[in-house]
Amino acid sequence: MKKCKVYRDGGMHYIAIAPSEGHAGMRRKPPPEEPIVVVEQPPDPIEEENQTDALPVKEDVSKGSDVEELYQPECSVAENTDDANDIIVTLGKTRISTRSEEFLRWYRESLELKKKDRYSFIASKMAPYFTDKEELHRFLHRKLACRERAKMTKRLRCIRRAALHDMNYFCTFTYDSKKMNEEEFEKKLLNTLSHFASRKGWKYMGTWERGKDTDRLHFHAIMHIPESTMSGELVKKREYDVKKKRMVERIENTFFEKKYGRNTFEFVDGTALTVNTAIEYIVKYLEKDGGRIICSKGLHTFLETDIDNKDIVCRLREGEDKKYILFDDFKVYKDGKELGTISPGVLARAKTVE
């Protein structure tokens, strides 16, 4: 088979996807959404003083509870007026937005809630932009399904990348305020990782995240560090963890500690820490902050190669002619020339694609 796409399924198996015939055509852009006016309610000093850390959650509207109260405008009856029907509506600042933008805003606000409570919370915030509760429910079910599908697709793509390129470390980098500020840290760290990728063969895939308590910026990455290319030394450090309320051990790199500050290197050994667990961390931060994956150059998802029929074990599923399980030592080809059996060295010379 010519020009197959090969990926690893997160375990030890290589899967080949046979090229499909036909063309799906260009994707049609959805029509632009109707703009809405969003009223930002001014903070109530008394409410702010009594506010707790918990998010306000109404009853579960997904099970047919009374939702009409969500559609009542916030208003108060005027006191000391001649007309008892006078009503004063308290409004804050207004801005132009769309339903999708507001949904995404409240979706990220409610990530820490349970699934049922999240639905109720988002429904209570989105209700003013709908005239009918059934329309609101249809909108939320569609948007939540899309977010879940996008999350699973992103996670699957990250797992395939990490498995194909043999990622072996999960790292966290932060900075010391005495050495640099946040902007310098962000620029210099990515510059260092980029140099290591081009000069030492390092590969990385990660995202930025801010600490929940300190709001300090740090970088989470799953990395492939070839043997004998580690800069600095890995040393064990024992310290008190405030959250866990006990002493814990972590492994720190001396090069990055001296240059930037605190860091952690965890070896992905497949037992205590697996590729899937590391990817879950990264995807969670992407959902939370709406950031993007930062990858080293050439860190693609698939290997493109011809496949010899002798290297095929069987079909992935009975009756499917598109995906095939390959032997662990299948041959890799580039432009019709054999490069050898699959290995890190062969992978570096092979053609990889998204």
Side-chain angles (χ1 to χ4, degrees):
M1 293 185 293
K2 300 290 185 180
K3 292 186 178 181
C4 296
K5 287 184 176 181
V6 178
Y7 69 90
R8 285 183 76 177
D9 62 354
M12 297 301 296
H13 301 296
Y14 288 97
I15 310 297
I17 305 176
S20 57
E21 298 180 1
H23 180 61
M26 295 181 62
R27 291 184 180 178
R28 292 189 342 185
K29 290 184 179 180
E33 279 195 67
E34 211 178 300
I36 59 173
V37 178
V38 178
V39 179
E40 297 286 358
Q41 293 294 338
D44 186 353
I46 299 177
E47 188 177 333
E48 274 193 340
E49 186 177 346
N50 299 329
Q51 188 178 11
T52 61
D53 294 335
L55 288 170
V57 178
K58 296 182 181 291
E59 291 186 13
D60 184 14
V61 299
S62 63
K63 293 189 177 181
S65 59
D66 190 11
V67 194
E68 275 72 8
E69 61 175 341
L70 302 178
Y71 296 89
Q72 301 300 323
E74 294 189 5
C75 59
S76 59
V77 178
E79 297 180 0
N80 300 324
T81 62
D82 294 334
D83 189 351
N85 293 325
D86 285 348
I87 293 179
I88 298 175
V89 179
T90 305
L91 298 177
K93 294 181 179 179
T94 61
R95 58 184 173 82
I96 303 300
S97 182
T98 63
R99 289 174 174 178
S100 293
E101 289 175 357
E102 292 307 298
F103 167 81
L104 188 58
R105 172 190 175 191
W106 298 118
Y107 176 83
R108 288 173 178 161
E109 283 281 335
S110 60
L111 282 177
E112 301 298 327
L113 295 178
K114 293 180 180 180
K115 190 173 181 180
K116 181 174 112 177
D117 294 336
R118 177 191 291 180
Y119 187 97
S120 301
F121 173 76
I122 299 175
S124 67
K125 297 296 184 181
M126 295 294 297
Y129 314 124
F130 293 85
T131 57
D132 178 68
K133 62 181 181 180
E134 294 300 327
E135 184 186 1
L136 168 64
H137 292 327
R138 287 195 298 269
F139 176 85
L140 291 185
H141 283 302
R142 184 177 73 253
K143 285 293 182 181
L144 287 170
C146 287
R147 295 302 304 180
E148 190 65 26
R149 184 167 60 252
K151 179 182 176 181
M152 294 302 297
T153 301
K154 193 176 295 182
R155 178 180 177 273
L156 182 62
R157 186 165 58 248
C158 289
I159 288 176
R160 289 178 177 179
R161 281 179 182 171
L164 181 65
H165 296 278
D166 289 322
M167 300 299 196
N168 53 5
Y169 283 95
F170 180 66
C171 309
T172 301
F173 304 93
T174 187
Y175 67 98
D176 188 342
S177 301
K178 297 178 182 178
K179 298 179 181 180
M180 63 188 68
N181 58 34
E182 184 177 292
E183 292 75 18
E184 292 174 330
F185 168 64
E186 186 173 355
K187 182 178 179 180
K188 290 182 178 180
L189 177 64
L190 292 184
N191 190 46
T192 298
L193 293 178
S194 178
H195 286 164
F196 283 2
S198 59
R199 298 171 185 174
K200 298 188 174 187
W202 286 29
K203 297 177 182 178
Y204 59 88
M205 174 176 58
T207 186
W208 296 101
E209 191 250 347
R210 291 189 177 276
K212 185 176 180 180
D213 300 324
T214 63
D215 199 44
R216 180 173 289 269
L217 186 71
H218 46 275
F219 187 67
H220 297 281
I222 183 167
M223 309 178 70
H224 170 73
I225 303 178
E227 194 174 351
S228 304
T229 63
M230 180 72 73
S231 291
E233 296 181 356
L234 297 180
V235 295
K236 280 188 179 181
K237 287 199 172 181
R238 186 175 173 83
E239 57 189 19
Y240 183 77
D241 190 310
V242 179
K243 290 184 178 180
K244 296 181 179 179
K245 297 182 179 180
R246 59 182 175 86
M247 297 297 291
V248 295
E249 284 188 352
R250 64 182 178 88
I251 300 176
E252 189 172 68
N253 181 281
T254 56
F255 170 84
F256 287 97
E257 192 280 329
K258 184 177 179 180
K259 194 172 180 66
Y260 299 105
R262 180 187 175 90
N263 63 85
T264 303
F265 277 63
E266 295 183 67
F267 185 67
V268 180
D269 58 1
T271 53
L273 179 64
T274 65
V275 169
N276 288 12
T277 306
I279 293 299
E280 286 292 345
Y281 277 112
I282 293 177
V283 173
K284 181 183 72 173
Y285 297 135
L286 287 176
E287 284 284 298
K288 179 181 176 183
D289 297 334
R292 62 186 180 89
I293 288 281
I294 299 173
C295 298
S296 55
K297 188 176 180 180
L299 194 72
H300 296 145
T301 310
F302 299 101
L303 165 68
E304 186 178 277
T305 177
D306 299 339
I307 296 297
D308 192 331
N309 290 335
K310 296 179 181 179
D311 291 329
I312 296 176
V313 179
C314 62
R315 292 188 179 93
L316 182 61
R317 297 180 184 87
E318 189 66 31
E320 182 178 0
D321 293 329
K322 190 175 179 181
K323 292 188 177 182
Y324 300 87
I325 300 176
L326 304 179
F327 286 107
D328 296 338
D329 57 349
F330 71 94
K331 297 181 181 66
V332 178
Y333 297 83
K334 183 179 181 181
D335 298 328
K337 297 181 180 179
E338 183 181 334
L339 299 180
T341 58
I342 185 67
S343 67
V346 170
L347 182 63
R349 295 183 286 124
K351 182 180 179 180
T352 54
V353 294
E354 279 299 332

